[in-house]
Amino acid sequence: MRGPLKTTHGAAPVALGLLIALYAVPGAQQPPAATPAPAAPAPAKPLVPVATNTVTAHPDAYYGLAVTINAAVEQILSKSAFSVDQRRVGAAADVKHDPTDVLVLVPTIQSPVELHAYVTVMGELVKFDPAEIARKAKDYKLDLPADVVAKYSGRPALLATSVINEKFVDLAKRLPPPLNAEEEAYQKVMRQVGPAFAALRPAVDGSNAETAGKNAAVLQKAFTDTEAFWKPKKAEPTLWAQNARKEVEAVQAAIAAGKWDEAKAHAATVGQACAQCHGAYRERFDDGSFRIKK
Ligand code: HEC
């Protein structure tokens, strides 16, 4: 059993989970003007604590809301889905006919829940329909058997962003995998590319040959390394890195010739390469760190 010390330690992850759930729920409405959400792209409505039997009795009142449910895992349905119920913990024999259980879908599930263990699940309550889930969770592949889909269709389901277990671990939180030596070196290169490119643009705009030249040199070397990293692995990012290097070299030539309009145009094209490659090969984790998309 867990002592009070563990509970104290657990408070932070739970609070964090709440925060993540609050900001991660899409389609949220504006909160009152007095409570702006700091540093969040879109303010979220507050989490509504609900009971499973309330939700199943009046689902229409909760669809589209960010809710939190504390209940026992009643049935494990797939790798990313389970049902919760507060009414009859562990009454497995009755499960099939139990109308008070709520389907929980966890697109970012990292480790499994335990049968009959208590969990706090947070996310948006939706009317279950595979097409609707596909729209709301773009990268998620629903992994339910057909009979389970049929059973829950048209019923309330929670599209969960957090699943806090009894050890206060959020099972839905995606943490970045450790870097190997090569990936670490790659990350160092990208961390040079960021500030160098940020400095290049205003230097070119201001016709500052010294600053522009210095940062272009950093980028030229960095994209040479980026290209070398990708070359044995994948053709597309190799080509994008190569193009970025060529554009940087064109910036360098334009600076040397004092052709600042040309330098500006080529610098802008370099910027497109960042977005192009990040869109396809960069992945952001819940803690804000980046990794190569596998
Ligand atoms: C050919 C692909 C590619 C190109 C081109 C590219 N990047 Fe990246 N970048 C990545 C990948 C993959 C990651 C994730 C790896 C990582 O961060 O460890 C990344 C990560 C980053 C990071 C985060 C580093 C960290 O982990 O803290 C920054 C900043 C960055 N890139 C800036 C840029 C800028 C600015 C440009 C354009 C001037 C650029 N990148 C061009 C592939 C690319």
Side-chain angles (χ1 to χ4, degrees), residues 1-20:
M1 287 307 291
R2 316 237 127 236
L5 196 65
K6 277 279 188 310
T7 307
T8 309
H9 284 187
V14 170
L16 194 67
L18 266 160
L19 209 65
I20 290 164

Side-chain angles (χ1 to χ4, degrees), residues 179 183-198 200 219 223 226-227 229-230 236-242 244-245 248 267 269-283 288-293:
L179 296 164
E183 291 163 346
E184 201 175 319
Y186 186 88
Q187 189 169 66
K188 280 209 183 95
V189 169
M190 277 301 144
R191 286 180 177 174
Q192 290 174 342
V193 169
F197 186 64
L200 178 72
L219 290 171
F223 284 125
T226 303
E227 187 182 336
F229 172 87
W230 285 107
E236 196 178 42
T238 305
L239 186 69
W240 292 344
Q242 194 183 86
R245 175 180 54 77
V248 169
T269 312
V270 175
Q272 289 165 15
C274 320
Q276 191 175 38
C277 193
H278 292 165
Y281 296 103
R282 187 172 80 164
E283 191 172 8
S289 60
F290 292 105
R291 287 291 185 273
I292 297 160
K293 201 181 221 165

Side-chain angles (χ1 to χ4, degrees), residues 161 211 218:
T161 49
T211 308
V218 172

